[in-house]
């Protein structure tokens, strides 16, 4: 990762990003925390750091992520962007490990299919997926199953009890977003969610080699 021409050292930038994506804080609160440590950083600079580096850190983490299970729980939740509700598609496996996420303007079969295709690229094809009663999610999985022979198709389940795990997992993401006063652009929302989801996975111990190390150390190592 390139920190050339930045006014602050990489460890300061990474610490500021981590505080923002790890705890329910606003940019102005992080600005104040840095000021207490003798560092004058404007909140607009903090926002640029998060948008620039969070996707890079998440991409780097992909090669260090533990393998996930083959039984998925998938659901979507709501995220407000520029005053309009958008849809955050997410999935976890049977033990709660994060599989993938995707922010969309719409909640339809096309968006659901894009999420599943993204998740399969990153984590491999699941054996079964538990979803709600949404027709769009069912349609998306049926469409994807057309590419597989009958014996290798993804099994679709609709069990509300099994989706309690993903619904509980949504709560952490929502808790993080509210103090941020949501988002003012889709680009900013997607980048920030990359950082939030990344830190959430590190907290769950999903780094395959450094999971026993402190989370801040795991986070910083991704910039190396």
């Amino acid at each position: 990762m390139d920190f050339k021409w930045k006014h602050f050292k990489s460890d300061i930038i990474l610490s500021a990003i981590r505080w923002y994506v790890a705890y329910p804080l606003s940019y102005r609160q992080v600005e104040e925390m840095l000021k207490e440590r003798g560092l004058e950083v404007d909140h607009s600079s903090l926002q640029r750091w998060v948008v620039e580096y969070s996707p890079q850190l998440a991409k780097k983490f992909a090669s260090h992520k533990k393998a996930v299970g083959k039984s998925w729980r998938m659901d979507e939740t709501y995220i407000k962007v520029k005053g309009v509700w958008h849809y955050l598609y997410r999935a976890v496996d049977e033990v709660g490990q994060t599989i993938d996420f995707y922010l969309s303007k719409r909640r339809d079969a096309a968006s659901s299919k894009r999420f599943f295709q993204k998740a399969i690229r990153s984590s491999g094809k699941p054996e079964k997926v538990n979803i709600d009663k949404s027709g769009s999610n069912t349609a998306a999985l049926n469409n994807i199953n057309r590419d597989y022979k009958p014996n290798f198709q993804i099994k679709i389940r609709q069990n509300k009890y099994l989706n309690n795990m993903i619904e509980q997992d949504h709560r952490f993401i929502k808790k993080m977003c509210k103090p941020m006063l949501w988002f003012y652009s889709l680009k900013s929302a997607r980048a920030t969610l990359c950082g939030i989801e990344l830190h959430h996975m590190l907290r769950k111990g999903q780094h395959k080699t450094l999971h026993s190390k402190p989370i801040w150390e795991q986070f910083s190592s991704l910039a190396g």
Side-chain angles (χ1 to χ4, degrees):
M1 289 175 58
D2 186 8
F3 295 93
K4 193 176 181 181
W5 310 120
K6 301 298 181 185
H7 294 296
F8 295 90
K9 293 182 179 179
S10 60
D11 58 336
I12 294 171
I13 293 172
L14 289 169
S15 292
I17 294 170
R18 196 185 73 81
W19 291 343
Y20 186 70
V21 300
Y23 308 110
L25 299 168
S26 68
Y27 282 121
R28 290 187 184 276
Q29 287 171 321
V30 177
E31 178 184 356
E32 185 176 335
M33 291 167 65
L34 289 168
K35 192 170 185 178
E36 289 175 5
R37 291 158 174 79
L39 299 167
E40 293 282 347
V41 184
D42 189 77
H43 61 275
S44 61
S45 296
L46 295 171
Q47 193 266 348
R48 286 195 294 272
W49 292 349
V50 170
V51 171
E52 179 178 356
Y53 291 113
S54 288
Q56 295 183 48
L57 290 163
K59 185 176 180 180
K60 187 74 176 291
F61 174 70
S63 61
H64 298 278
K65 184 182 174 184
K66 283 183 181 178
V68 297
K70 295 295 185 180
S71 178
W72 295 3
R73 285 90 168 106
M74 177 269 186
D75 189 30
E76 60 274 342
T77 189
Y78 301 92
I79 297 291
K80 190 173 283 188
V81 180
K82 211 171 182 179
V84 178
W85 289 111
H86 287 55
Y87 303 93
L88 179 62
Y89 290 83
R90 304 181 67 248
V92 299
D93 68 9
E94 64 270 23
V95 295
Q97 294 187 111
T98 301
I99 293 162
D100 216 324
F101 56 93
Y102 173 70
L103 183 64
S104 173
K105 293 181 180 180
R106 287 172 286 277
R107 185 190 185 204
D108 54 22
S111 298
S112 182
K113 183 180 179 181
R114 280 193 288 271
F115 164 74
F116 282 119
Q117 288 173 326
K118 180 174 184 281
I120 290 169
R121 283 195 302 270
S122 69
S123 304
K125 183 174 72 69
E127 293 175 359
K128 49 195 170 186
V129 176
N130 195 84
I131 57 175
D132 58 16
K133 299 292 184 180
S134 168
S136 61
N137 292 337
T138 304
L141 283 170
N142 284 333
N143 190 288
I144 288 172
N145 271 337
R146 292 174 190 167
D147 296 331
Y148 301 113
K149 295 179 180 179
N151 291 341
F152 295 93
Q153 290 186 347
I154 300 167
K155 182 180 178 181
I156 303 170
R157 296 187 304 191
Q158 293 179 315
N159 185 319
K160 184 173 177 60
Y161 170 76
L162 289 177
N163 259 20
N164 286 345
M165 185 181 290
I166 181 66
E167 289 169 2
Q168 291 293 325
D169 205 65
H170 287 333
R171 291 186 180 184
F172 174 81
I173 306 301
K174 302 274 281 200
K175 180 185 74 174
M176 289 294 305
C177 293
K178 285 183 180 179
M180 299 174 180
L181 302 178
W182 302 107
F183 304 103
Y184 293 99
S185 74
L186 195 58
K187 178 183 177 181
S188 173
R190 284 176 170 158
T192 306
L193 286 166
C194 279
I196 293 171
E197 294 277 9
L198 163 61
H199 202 275
H200 195 35
M201 286 187 276
L202 293 177
R203 187 179 281 113
K204 292 178 183 180
Q206 289 188 239
H207 196 299
K208 62 185 177 185
T209 57
L210 299 179
H211 53 86
S212 61
K213 299 285 186 180
I215 295 176
W216 63 266
E217 191 173 323
Q218 297 179 45
F219 191 86
S220 297
S221 73
L222 297 173

